[in-house]
Amino acid sequence: MEVKQMTKFNPFEVAQRQLDECARILNLDPDVHAILRVPMRELHVSLPVRMDDGSIKIFQGFRVQYNDARGPTKGGIRFHPDETIDTVRALAAWMTWKCSLLDLPLGGAKGGVICNPKEMSQAELERLSRAYIQAIHQFIGPDKDIPAPDVYTNPQIMAWMMDEYSKIAGKNQFGVITGKPIILGGSAGRGDATARGGICTLREAAKECGIDLKKATVAVQGYGNAGYYGAYLAKSLLGCKIVAVSDSKGGIFSKEGLDPEAVRKHKAKTGSVINFPNTKAISNGDLLELEVDILIPAALENVITEKNAPNIKAKIVAELANGPTTPEADDILYKNGVHVIPDFLCNAGGVTVSYFEMVQNFYMYFWDEKEVHQRLDRKMTTAYHSVLDASKKYNINMRQAAYVVAVERVAEAMKLRAWV
Ligand code: NAD
C-alpha cells in the first residue's frame, strides 16, 4: 500500500501505517482492513464551564470508540492543551490492539479535552470533569465504554466523573470508570501495574535470550511512574543491577549500581535524579547507548531512531514508554539481534489491572494485592509468549508480531459476528 510522506507528525497516520503493514503480513481480508483503518464511532462535544472569575469558557472534548468487536471499549481520558482528534483516534486504535493482545474481553477507546489543567483551579477542574461526563454519558457505561486516567487526569478526577455518572444514572455506578481511589472501588496493585507487567515480560525475554538477570545491568530513561517502578522492580524482583537512570534534566551512572529507592527520595527532594551522590553525570543520549544488558525507555516517544539505533548495545529493549522506537530504528535493532519488547505489550500492565478493577466492581468483591499480582503475571506471560511465537512463525520483529496477534483476534471476532 502507498504510504504518503508525512509533513507533520500525525499519530493517526502512524497507527494506520502500522495496521497496513500488519494487513500485508497477514494477507488480511480487504473489507476487514478497511473497517479497522477508521474509528467505529466518535463524539465531539463543546463543554461550557463556569470559571472561578464568573465567566463561561467553552472547552472542546472528544471520545473515540475505535472497535468493539471483542467487547465494550476501554481507554483513558487526557486533559491536554495540545490534544487533537487525530491523537485521540490513534490512541483509541492502539487501545484496541493492546486489549486484544492481552486477551481482555474489551475493545479500544480514548477520550480527551483540550485544556491546560496546570492553569485551572481544583474547582474548575471538577466542573470541567462533570461537564465532560454530562456531555458523553449516553455514549459510555459499565458494559459499553469504560474510561480511565491518562495524561493529566488522576484518581480524583475519576472519582468526580464516577460521581457525576452515578447521579445521572440515579444509582452508584462504580464500574463506569477505572483508576479510581481504592476507597471508591479502585483495585489494589494499580500504582505499579505498568512497570510490574513490563517486568514480567522482561523476565520471559531474558529466558529467551539466555541472559542471567542476576548478573544483568540495566539503564532506565525517565524516572516517573513507569521508570521508577521499572528500576525498583528490576532490582527487587529480578536481581538486576541498575547502573543508570535519567529524567528530563539529565542522567546518572554508577558502575557499582544504584539504589532506586534512594534515587527516588533524592529526586523528590531536589526535583531531579541528577547530582545523586557517588555517580557520574551522563546525558539522556549517552544513556541509550550504554554498554548494558537491558535498556528500559520509560519517558518519551521517538528516542530510538535510525541515528542511534546502530549504537544500541543492550540485548533487550523493554519499552515501558509509548512509541520510543521509530519504525526505521526497529528494522536496525531487529537486524542487530536486539530483542525488543514492544510498547503495547511491555506497558500493558496498567490496562490489565484496570480491567481487573472492572471485574471486581461487577463482582462487588475485591482481591488482595497478591492475587492481583499473580493474575497480572499470568496475563503478561501468556501475551509475551503469544507474540514470541508469532515472531518466530512469520519471521518478523516483535512489534509486527504483536500487531499480528492482536489484529488477527479482532478480525476473527468481526468475522464470527458476520460484520464482514
Ligand atoms: P511521568 O510523568 O510519571 O514520568 C515521566 C518521566 O520522564 C519523568 O521522570 C520526566 O522527568 C522524564 N522525562 C521527561 N522528558 C524527558 C527527556 N527528554 N529525557 C528523559 N527523561 C524525560 O510519566 P509515566 O506515567 O512514567 O509515563 C512515562 C511513559 O510511559 C510515557 O510514554 C507513557 O505513555 C508510558 N506509559 C505509562 C503508563 C502508566 O501507567 N504510568 C502506562 C502505559 C504507558
Side-chain angles (χ1 to χ4, degrees):
M1 182 161 299
E2 256 288 274
V3 173
K4 85 172 186 279
Q5 193 65 38
M6 282 182 293
T7 45
K8 190 166 171 277
F9 180 73
N10 180 335
F12 189 48
E13 281 186 37
V14 174
Q16 287 183 317
R17 276 173 57 186
Q18 291 166 336
L19 175 71
D20 295 345
E21 171 67 7
C22 171
R24 189 189 57 73
I25 296 166
L26 276 177
N27 204 10
L28 196 64
D29 176 334
D31 293 335
V32 173
H33 185 189
I35 294 174
L36 292 180
R37 276 192 114 243
V38 285
M40 172 182 83
R41 203 176 291 130
E42 56 185 55
L43 183 64
H44 296 225
V45 292
S46 300
L47 310 171
V49 175
R50 178 85 57 198
M51 306 305 279
D52 290 346
D53 65 5
S55 66
I56 296 263
K57 195 166 164 185
I58 312 292
F59 293 89
Q60 197 67 41
F62 314 107
R63 183 78 190 165
V64 174
Q65 295 168 351
Y66 199 83
N67 184 290
D68 68 354
R70 288 175 45 87
T73 52
K74 175 130 195 65
I77 299 167
R78 297 159 56 117
F79 280 2
H80 199 278
D82 301 327
E83 198 61 272
T84 68
I85 183 63
D86 275 332
T87 312
V88 181
R89 286 174 179 142
L91 290 161
W94 289 325
M95 280 305 295
T96 309
W97 316 138
K98 195 187 278 201
C99 290
S100 173
L101 181 59
L102 269 291
D103 211 7
L104 310 178
L106 298 169
K110 207 80 180 185
V113 177
I114 304 171
C115 66
N116 189 351
K118 289 183 179 168
E119 291 174 356
M120 296 170 71
S121 70
Q122 283 296 100
E124 287 170 342
L125 270 180
E126 181 183 341
R127 289 194 287 270
L128 175 65
S129 303
R130 290 187 185 277
Y132 182 64
I133 292 302
Q134 285 158 18
I136 69 163
H137 77 272
Q138 282 166 322
F139 207 59
I140 61 169
D143 51 6
K144 215 172 178 181
D145 178 15
I146 305 94
D150 202 287
V151 174
Y152 294 156
T153 54
N154 54 34
Q156 172 62 78
I157 291 178
M158 298 305 109
W160 291 326
M161 289 184 171
M162 178 280 290
D163 183 69
E164 190 62 31
Y165 186 87
S166 295
K167 278 182 176 155
I168 295 167
K171 57 186 173 186
N172 272 341
Q173 292 275 274
F174 285 8
V176 71
I177 209 156
T178 60
K180 300 180 296 293
I182 289 198
I183 201 162
L184 290 175
S187 178
R190 182 67 181 83
D192 68 5
T194 299
R196 187 173 288 270
I199 290 296
C200 298
T201 62
L202 176 56
R203 183 194 61 216
E204 298 305 304
K207 284 185 209 157
E208 172 64 17
C209 300
I211 293 174
D212 178 358
L213 285 167
K214 298 225 158 32
K215 294 191 187 130
T217 51
V218 181
V220 183
Q221 182 182 58
Y223 215 63
N225 178 285
Y228 158 66
Y229 280 121
Y232 176 79
L233 295 172
K235 184 169 156 57
S236 58
L237 294 181
L238 304 178
C240 299
K241 192 201 274 186
I242 315 300
V243 294
V245 302
S246 69
D247 60 26
S248 57
K249 301 213 172 94
I252 52 173
F253 174 82
S254 161
K255 207 164 165 238
E256 288 69 44
L258 298 159
D259 171 358
E261 181 55 15
V263 176
R264 187 193 64 77
K265 284 186 182 145
H266 173 82
K267 183 173 163 74
K269 209 157 85 186
T270 65
S272 173
V273 299
I274 59 171
N275 299 323
F276 185 74
N278 304 320
T279 58
K280 203 175 111 197
I282 52 166
S283 71
N284 264 296
D286 291 344
L287 179 140
L288 297 172
E289 298 179 16
L290 281 174
E291 192 90 47
V292 288
D293 299 302
I294 295 152
L295 175 64
I296 306 184
L300 303 174
E301 58 279 0
N302 291 328
V303 290
I304 303 176
T305 66
E306 59 193 321
K307 286 206 184 101
N308 60 3
N311 307 328
I312 302 268
K313 297 171 196 78
K315 299 178 191 84
I316 298 175
V317 175
E319 296 182 341
L320 282 182
N322 274 315
T325 308
T326 66
E328 295 75 20
D330 250 341
D331 291 340
I332 297 168
L333 295 178
Y334 187 55
K335 278 195 200 105
N336 289 349
V338 180
H339 187 85
V340 176
I341 310 172
D343 49 7
F344 74 92
L345 168 62
C346 193
N347 68 31
V351 71
T352 302
V353 175
S354 260
Y355 160 67
F356 293 162
E357 183 175 331
M358 275 177 68
V359 172
Q360 294 168 86
N361 289 157
F362 277 123
Y363 251 25
M364 292 281 277
Y365 180 77
F366 287 82
W367 304 330
D368 60 22
E369 196 173 60
K370 190 166 158 226
E371 179 149 13
V372 171
H373 289 168
Q374 284 168 346
R375 288 178 185 270
L376 174 64
D377 196 334
R378 280 206 293 277
K379 276 280 178 206
M380 298 301 301
T381 303
T382 305
Y384 173 83
H385 285 285
S386 63
V387 174
L388 184 66
D389 291 349
S391 156
K392 288 178 180 169
K393 177 176 165 194
Y394 291 95
N395 206 13
I396 51 179
N397 71 39
M398 289 285 282
R399 191 177 326 275
Q400 290 166 328
Y403 261 93
V404 162
V405 174
V407 170
E408 229 174 7
R409 287 181 185 154
V410 178
E412 193 188 346
M414 285 166 56
K415 289 219 155 149
L416 286 169
R417 294 178 71 158
W419 288 3
V420 280

